[in-house]
Short mmCIF file of all heavy atoms in Angstrom, two decimals:
data_model
loop_
_atom_site.label_atom_id
_atom_site.label_comp_id
_atom_site.label_asym_id
_atom_site.label_seq_id
_atom_site.Cartn_x
_atom_site.Cartn_y
_atom_site.Cartn_z
N TYR A 836 76.48 144.83 118.63
CA TYR A 836 76.98 143.54 118.16
C TYR A 836 76.36 143.16 116.82
O TYR A 836 77.02 142.58 115.94
CB TYR A 836 76.68 142.45 119.19
CG TYR A 836 77.63 142.40 120.36
CD1 TYR A 836 77.18 142.03 121.63
CD2 TYR A 836 78.98 142.69 120.20
CE1 TYR A 836 78.06 141.97 122.71
CE2 TYR A 836 79.86 142.63 121.27
CZ TYR A 836 79.39 142.27 122.52
OH TYR A 836 80.26 142.22 123.58
N LYS A 837 75.09 143.47 116.65
CA LYS A 837 74.43 143.17 115.38
C LYS A 837 75.04 143.97 114.24
O LYS A 837 75.19 143.47 113.12
CB LYS A 837 72.93 143.46 115.48
CG LYS A 837 72.14 142.40 116.23
CD LYS A 837 70.65 142.71 116.14
CE LYS A 837 69.81 141.63 116.81
NZ LYS A 837 68.36 141.90 116.68
N ARG A 838 75.40 145.22 114.53
CA ARG A 838 76.05 146.02 113.49
C ARG A 838 77.40 145.40 113.10
O ARG A 838 77.76 145.35 111.92
CB ARG A 838 76.27 147.45 113.99
CG ARG A 838 75.00 148.24 114.25
CD ARG A 838 74.20 148.40 112.97
NE ARG A 838 74.93 149.15 111.98
CZ ARG A 838 74.82 150.46 111.79
NH1 ARG A 838 73.98 151.17 112.54
NH2 ARG A 838 75.50 151.08 110.85
N ALA A 839 78.16 144.96 114.09
CA ALA A 839 79.44 144.32 113.80
C ALA A 839 79.25 143.04 113.00
O ALA A 839 79.99 142.78 112.04
CB ALA A 839 80.19 144.03 115.10
N ALA A 840 78.25 142.24 113.36
CA ALA A 840 77.99 140.99 112.64
C ALA A 840 77.53 141.26 111.22
O ALA A 840 77.83 140.50 110.30
CB ALA A 840 76.95 140.16 113.39
N GLY A 841 76.80 142.36 111.02
CA GLY A 841 76.37 142.71 109.68
C GLY A 841 77.52 143.07 108.77
O GLY A 841 77.50 142.81 107.57
N LEU A 842 78.57 143.70 109.34
CA LEU A 842 79.74 144.06 108.55
C LEU A 842 80.68 142.89 108.35
O LEU A 842 81.45 142.86 107.39
CB LEU A 842 80.48 145.20 109.24
CG LEU A 842 79.78 146.56 109.22
CD1 LEU A 842 80.43 147.53 110.18
CD2 LEU A 842 79.78 147.14 107.81
N ARG A 843 80.66 141.93 109.25
CA ARG A 843 81.56 140.78 109.17
C ARG A 843 80.77 139.51 109.45
O ARG A 843 80.94 138.84 110.48
CB ARG A 843 82.67 140.94 110.19
CG ARG A 843 83.80 139.95 110.01
CD ARG A 843 85.12 140.61 110.26
NE ARG A 843 86.18 139.64 110.36
CZ ARG A 843 87.06 139.43 109.40
NH1 ARG A 843 86.98 140.12 108.28
NH2 ARG A 843 88.02 138.56 109.54
N PRO A 844 79.88 139.13 108.54
CA PRO A 844 78.95 138.03 108.82
C PRO A 844 79.62 136.67 108.89
O PRO A 844 78.99 135.72 109.35
CB PRO A 844 77.95 138.11 107.66
CG PRO A 844 78.69 138.77 106.56
CD PRO A 844 79.64 139.72 107.20
N TRP A 845 80.86 136.53 108.42
CA TRP A 845 81.51 135.23 108.46
C TRP A 845 82.59 135.16 109.51
O TRP A 845 83.50 134.35 109.42
CB TRP A 845 82.06 134.87 107.07
CG TRP A 845 80.96 134.51 106.16
CD1 TRP A 845 80.47 135.25 105.13
CD2 TRP A 845 80.16 133.33 106.20
NE1 TRP A 845 79.42 134.62 104.54
CE2 TRP A 845 79.20 133.42 105.17
CE3 TRP A 845 80.15 132.20 107.01
CZ2 TRP A 845 78.26 132.45 104.94
CZ3 TRP A 845 79.20 131.22 106.76
CH2 TRP A 845 78.27 131.35 105.73
N ASP A 846 82.48 136.00 110.52
CA ASP A 846 83.39 135.93 111.67
C ASP A 846 82.59 135.40 112.85
O ASP A 846 81.69 136.07 113.37
CB ASP A 846 83.94 137.32 111.98
CG ASP A 846 85.08 137.26 112.99
OD1 ASP A 846 85.17 136.25 113.74
OD2 ASP A 846 85.88 138.21 113.04
N GLY A 847 82.90 134.18 113.26
CA GLY A 847 82.14 133.55 114.34
C GLY A 847 82.19 134.31 115.64
O GLY A 847 81.28 134.23 116.46
N LYS A 848 83.26 135.09 115.83
CA LYS A 848 83.39 135.87 117.06
C LYS A 848 82.25 136.88 117.20
O LYS A 848 81.75 137.12 118.30
CB LYS A 848 84.73 136.58 117.06
CG LYS A 848 85.04 137.35 118.32
CD LYS A 848 86.44 137.92 118.22
CE LYS A 848 86.81 138.67 119.48
NZ LYS A 848 88.18 139.19 119.39
N MET A 849 81.84 137.46 116.06
CA MET A 849 80.75 138.43 116.10
C MET A 849 79.44 137.76 116.52
O MET A 849 78.68 138.26 117.36
CB MET A 849 80.57 139.09 114.73
CG MET A 849 81.82 139.73 114.15
SD MET A 849 82.43 141.11 115.12
CE MET A 849 83.98 140.45 115.70
N TRP A 850 79.17 136.60 115.91
CA TRP A 850 77.92 135.89 116.22
C TRP A 850 77.92 135.32 117.62
O TRP A 850 76.88 135.25 118.27
CB TRP A 850 77.70 134.78 115.18
CG TRP A 850 77.47 135.31 113.81
CD1 TRP A 850 78.34 135.32 112.78
CD2 TRP A 850 76.26 135.93 113.33
NE1 TRP A 850 77.77 135.90 111.68
CE2 TRP A 850 76.48 136.28 111.99
CE3 TRP A 850 75.04 136.21 113.91
CZ2 TRP A 850 75.54 136.90 111.22
CZ3 TRP A 850 74.07 136.84 113.14
CH2 TRP A 850 74.32 137.17 111.81
N MET A 851 79.10 134.93 118.10
CA MET A 851 79.18 134.42 119.46
C MET A 851 78.84 135.53 120.46
O MET A 851 78.17 135.29 121.47
CB MET A 851 80.57 133.86 119.74
CG MET A 851 80.67 133.09 121.04
SD MET A 851 82.16 132.10 121.14
CE MET A 851 83.41 133.35 121.10
N ALA A 852 79.30 136.75 120.16
CA ALA A 852 78.97 137.88 121.04
C ALA A 852 77.47 138.16 121.02
O ALA A 852 76.86 138.43 122.07
CB ALA A 852 79.75 139.12 120.59
N VAL A 853 76.87 138.08 119.82
CA VAL A 853 75.42 138.29 119.73
C VAL A 853 74.67 137.22 120.52
O VAL A 853 73.75 137.52 121.28
CB VAL A 853 74.99 138.27 118.24
CG1 VAL A 853 73.46 138.28 118.13
CG2 VAL A 853 75.56 139.46 117.50
N GLY A 854 75.09 135.95 120.37
CA GLY A 854 74.40 134.88 121.07
C GLY A 854 74.54 134.99 122.58
O GLY A 854 73.55 134.78 123.32
N SER A 855 75.72 135.34 123.07
CA SER A 855 75.92 135.48 124.51
C SER A 855 75.08 136.61 125.07
O SER A 855 74.52 136.51 126.17
CB SER A 855 77.40 135.72 124.80
OG SER A 855 78.18 134.64 124.36
N CYS A 856 74.99 137.70 124.30
CA CYS A 856 74.20 138.84 124.75
C CYS A 856 72.71 138.47 124.80
O CYS A 856 72.00 138.84 125.76
CB CYS A 856 74.43 140.02 123.81
SG CYS A 856 73.76 141.58 124.41
N LEU A 857 72.24 137.75 123.80
CA LEU A 857 70.84 137.32 123.79
C LEU A 857 70.54 136.39 124.96
O LEU A 857 69.47 136.44 125.56
CB LEU A 857 70.51 136.64 122.46
CG LEU A 857 70.39 137.56 121.25
CD1 LEU A 857 70.39 136.76 119.96
CD2 LEU A 857 69.12 138.40 121.34
N GLN A 858 71.51 135.54 125.29
CA GLN A 858 71.33 134.64 126.42
C GLN A 858 71.17 135.42 127.72
O GLN A 858 70.31 135.11 128.55
CB GLN A 858 72.51 133.68 126.53
CG GLN A 858 72.38 132.66 127.65
CD GLN A 858 73.62 131.82 127.82
OE1 GLN A 858 74.70 132.23 127.40
NE2 GLN A 858 73.47 130.64 128.42
N LYS A 859 71.98 136.45 127.90
CA LYS A 859 71.88 137.26 129.11
C LYS A 859 70.58 138.03 129.18
O LYS A 859 70.13 138.41 130.25
CB LYS A 859 73.07 138.23 129.18
CG LYS A 859 74.40 137.52 129.38
CD LYS A 859 75.56 138.48 129.32
CE LYS A 859 76.88 137.75 129.48
NZ LYS A 859 78.05 138.66 129.36
N MET A 860 69.96 138.26 128.02
CA MET A 860 68.68 138.95 127.99
C MET A 860 67.51 137.98 128.14
O MET A 860 66.35 138.40 128.08
CB MET A 860 68.54 139.73 126.67
CG MET A 860 69.57 140.85 126.50
SD MET A 860 69.50 141.62 124.88
CE MET A 860 67.88 142.39 124.95
N GLY A 861 67.82 136.68 128.28
CA GLY A 861 66.76 135.69 128.44
C GLY A 861 66.14 135.24 127.13
O GLY A 861 65.11 134.56 127.14
N ARG A 862 66.75 135.58 126.02
CA ARG A 862 66.22 135.20 124.70
C ARG A 862 67.02 133.99 124.20
O ARG A 862 67.82 134.09 123.26
CB ARG A 862 66.30 136.37 123.74
CG ARG A 862 65.47 137.56 124.18
CD ARG A 862 65.75 138.81 123.35
NE ARG A 862 65.58 138.58 121.93
CZ ARG A 862 65.82 139.51 120.99
NH1 ARG A 862 66.26 140.71 121.36
NH2 ARG A 862 65.65 139.24 119.72
N ASP A 863 66.80 132.85 124.84
CA ASP A 863 67.62 131.68 124.57
C ASP A 863 67.44 131.15 123.15
O ASP A 863 68.42 130.72 122.52
CB ASP A 863 67.30 130.57 125.57
CG ASP A 863 67.82 130.90 126.97
OD1 ASP A 863 68.81 131.64 127.06
OD2 ASP A 863 67.23 130.44 127.96
N ARG A 864 66.23 131.16 122.64
CA ARG A 864 66.01 130.60 121.30
C ARG A 864 66.76 131.41 120.24
O ARG A 864 67.40 130.85 119.35
CB ARG A 864 64.51 130.55 120.99
CG ARG A 864 63.74 129.59 121.88
CD ARG A 864 62.31 129.39 121.40
NE ARG A 864 61.58 128.53 122.31
CZ ARG A 864 61.64 127.19 122.28
NH1 ARG A 864 62.41 126.60 121.37
NH2 ARG A 864 60.95 126.48 123.15
N ASP A 865 66.67 132.75 120.32
CA ASP A 865 67.42 133.58 119.37
C ASP A 865 68.91 133.44 119.60
O ASP A 865 69.71 133.46 118.65
CB ASP A 865 67.01 135.05 119.53
CG ASP A 865 65.60 135.31 119.03
OD1 ASP A 865 65.16 134.57 118.14
OD2 ASP A 865 64.97 136.25 119.52
N GLY A 866 69.31 133.28 120.86
CA GLY A 866 70.73 133.10 121.14
C GLY A 866 71.28 131.82 120.54
O GLY A 866 72.41 131.79 120.05
N ILE A 867 70.48 130.76 120.56
CA ILE A 867 70.92 129.49 119.96
C ILE A 867 71.14 129.66 118.46
O ILE A 867 72.12 129.16 117.90
CB ILE A 867 69.88 128.39 120.25
CG1 ILE A 867 69.93 128.00 121.74
CG2 ILE A 867 70.11 127.17 119.37
CD1 ILE A 867 68.83 127.07 122.17
N LYS A 868 70.25 130.40 117.80
CA LYS A 868 70.43 130.63 116.36
C LYS A 868 71.74 131.34 116.07
O LYS A 868 72.46 130.99 115.13
CB LYS A 868 69.25 131.45 115.83
CG LYS A 868 67.90 130.76 115.93
CD LYS A 868 66.80 131.72 115.48
CE LYS A 868 65.41 131.11 115.71
NZ LYS A 868 64.35 132.07 115.35
N ALA A 869 72.03 132.37 116.88
CA ALA A 869 73.26 133.12 116.66
C ALA A 869 74.49 132.25 116.91
O ALA A 869 75.48 132.31 116.16
CB ALA A 869 73.28 134.35 117.56
N LEU A 870 74.46 131.44 117.94
CA LEU A 870 75.61 130.60 118.25
C LEU A 870 75.82 129.51 117.21
O LEU A 870 76.95 129.12 116.91
CB LEU A 870 75.46 129.98 119.64
CG LEU A 870 75.55 130.98 120.81
CD1 LEU A 870 75.28 130.28 122.13
CD2 LEU A 870 76.93 131.62 120.84
N LYS A 871 74.74 129.00 116.65
CA LYS A 871 74.88 128.02 115.57
C LYS A 871 75.51 128.69 114.34
O LYS A 871 76.30 128.07 113.62
CB LYS A 871 73.52 127.41 115.22
CG LYS A 871 73.02 126.42 116.26
CD LYS A 871 71.69 125.82 115.84
CE LYS A 871 71.22 124.78 116.86
NZ LYS A 871 69.91 124.18 116.49
N ARG A 872 75.13 129.94 114.12
CA ARG A 872 75.76 130.69 113.02
C ARG A 872 77.26 130.87 113.30
O ARG A 872 78.09 130.82 112.38
CB ARG A 872 75.08 132.03 112.86
CG ARG A 872 75.65 132.88 111.72
CD ARG A 872 75.44 132.20 110.38
NE ARG A 872 76.05 132.96 109.32
CZ ARG A 872 75.43 133.89 108.61
NH1 ARG A 872 74.16 134.17 108.86
NH2 ARG A 872 76.05 134.54 107.65
N ALA A 873 77.60 131.07 114.57
CA ALA A 873 79.02 131.18 114.93
C ALA A 873 79.76 129.89 114.63
O ALA A 873 80.91 129.90 114.16
CB ALA A 873 79.15 131.55 116.41
N LEU A 874 79.13 128.75 114.90
CA LEU A 874 79.75 127.46 114.59
C LEU A 874 80.03 127.33 113.09
O LEU A 874 81.09 126.88 112.67
CB LEU A 874 78.85 126.32 115.06
CG LEU A 874 78.82 125.99 116.55
CD1 LEU A 874 77.84 124.87 116.80
CD2 LEU A 874 80.21 125.61 117.04
N MET A 875 79.05 127.72 112.29
CA MET A 875 79.22 127.63 110.84
C MET A 875 80.35 128.55 110.38
O MET A 875 81.17 128.18 109.53
CB MET A 875 77.93 128.03 110.14
CG MET A 875 76.76 127.08 110.37
SD MET A 875 75.29 127.62 109.49
CE MET A 875 75.82 127.42 107.81
N ALA A 876 80.40 129.75 110.95
CA ALA A 876 81.42 130.70 110.54
C ALA A 876 82.81 130.22 110.92
O ALA A 876 83.75 130.27 110.12
CB ALA A 876 81.13 132.07 111.16
N GLU A 877 82.97 129.74 112.16
CA GLU A 877 84.28 129.31 112.61
C GLU A 877 84.78 128.09 111.84
O GLU A 877 85.98 127.83 111.80
CB GLU A 877 84.24 128.97 114.11
CG GLU A 877 84.04 130.18 115.00
CD GLU A 877 85.21 131.14 114.96
OE1 GLU A 877 86.24 130.82 114.33
OE2 GLU A 877 85.11 132.22 115.55
N ALA A 878 83.89 127.34 111.22
CA ALA A 878 84.31 126.17 110.45
C ALA A 878 85.14 126.57 109.24
O ALA A 878 85.91 125.77 108.71
CB ALA A 878 83.10 125.37 109.99
N TYR A 879 85.00 127.82 108.79
CA TYR A 879 85.73 128.27 107.60
C TYR A 879 87.05 128.92 107.94
O TYR A 879 87.76 129.38 107.07
CB TYR A 879 84.87 129.26 106.81
CG TYR A 879 83.59 128.65 106.32
CD1 TYR A 879 82.37 129.15 106.74
CD2 TYR A 879 83.60 127.58 105.44
CE1 TYR A 879 81.19 128.59 106.29
CE2 TYR A 879 82.43 127.01 105.00
CZ TYR A 879 81.23 127.53 105.42
OH TYR A 879 80.05 126.98 104.98
N TYR A 880 87.39 129.00 109.21
CA TYR A 880 88.64 129.63 109.61
C TYR A 880 89.52 128.62 110.34
O TYR A 880 89.03 127.85 111.17
CB TYR A 880 88.39 130.84 110.54
CG TYR A 880 87.75 132.00 109.83
CD1 TYR A 880 86.54 132.54 110.29
CD2 TYR A 880 88.36 132.56 108.73
CE1 TYR A 880 85.96 133.61 109.65
CE2 TYR A 880 87.78 133.64 108.08
CZ TYR A 880 86.59 134.16 108.55
OH TYR A 880 86.01 135.23 107.91
N ASP A 881 90.80 128.67 110.08
CA ASP A 881 91.74 127.78 110.76
C ASP A 881 92.45 128.47 111.91
O ASP A 881 92.91 127.83 112.84
CB ASP A 881 92.80 127.25 109.79
CG ASP A 881 92.17 126.36 108.74
OD1 ASP A 881 91.16 125.70 109.06
OD2 ASP A 881 92.68 126.32 107.62
N GLU A 882 92.57 129.82 111.81
CA GLU A 882 93.32 130.54 112.81
C GLU A 882 92.38 131.37 113.67
O GLU A 882 91.23 131.59 113.33
CB GLU A 882 94.34 131.48 112.14
CG GLU A 882 95.37 130.75 111.29
CD GLU A 882 96.28 129.89 112.14
OE1 GLU A 882 96.48 130.22 113.33
OE2 GLU A 882 96.75 128.87 111.64
#
């Protein structure tokens, strides 16, 4: 997922996948950072 996010850093879907994966690993603080990045990315897309 990190590799995908590195290639497409402004696609919120990539960061959402990273955040969800971190949450399942118990790394909530890092997961929150990734999900906030997903929010920022999705703000630039309408579709």
Side-chain angles (χ1 to χ4, degrees):
Y836 280 146
K837 283 186 176 182
R838 295 298 298 266
L842 289 167
R843 191 141 169 105
W845 287 106
D846 191 339
K848 184 176 182 179
M849 305 296 114
W850 293 105
M851 190 165 64
V853 172
S855 299
C856 191
L857 287 167
Q858 182 185 22
K859 293 175 182 177
M860 296 174 66
R862 297 170 56 182
D863 289 332
R864 294 189 183 278
D865 290 333
I867 288 172
K868 296 175 186 177
L870 291 176
K871 286 182 178 180
R872 181 64 184 268
L874 283 178
M875 294 181 66
E877 291 294 354
Y879 299 118
Y880 290 123
D881 294 329
E882 298 294 332

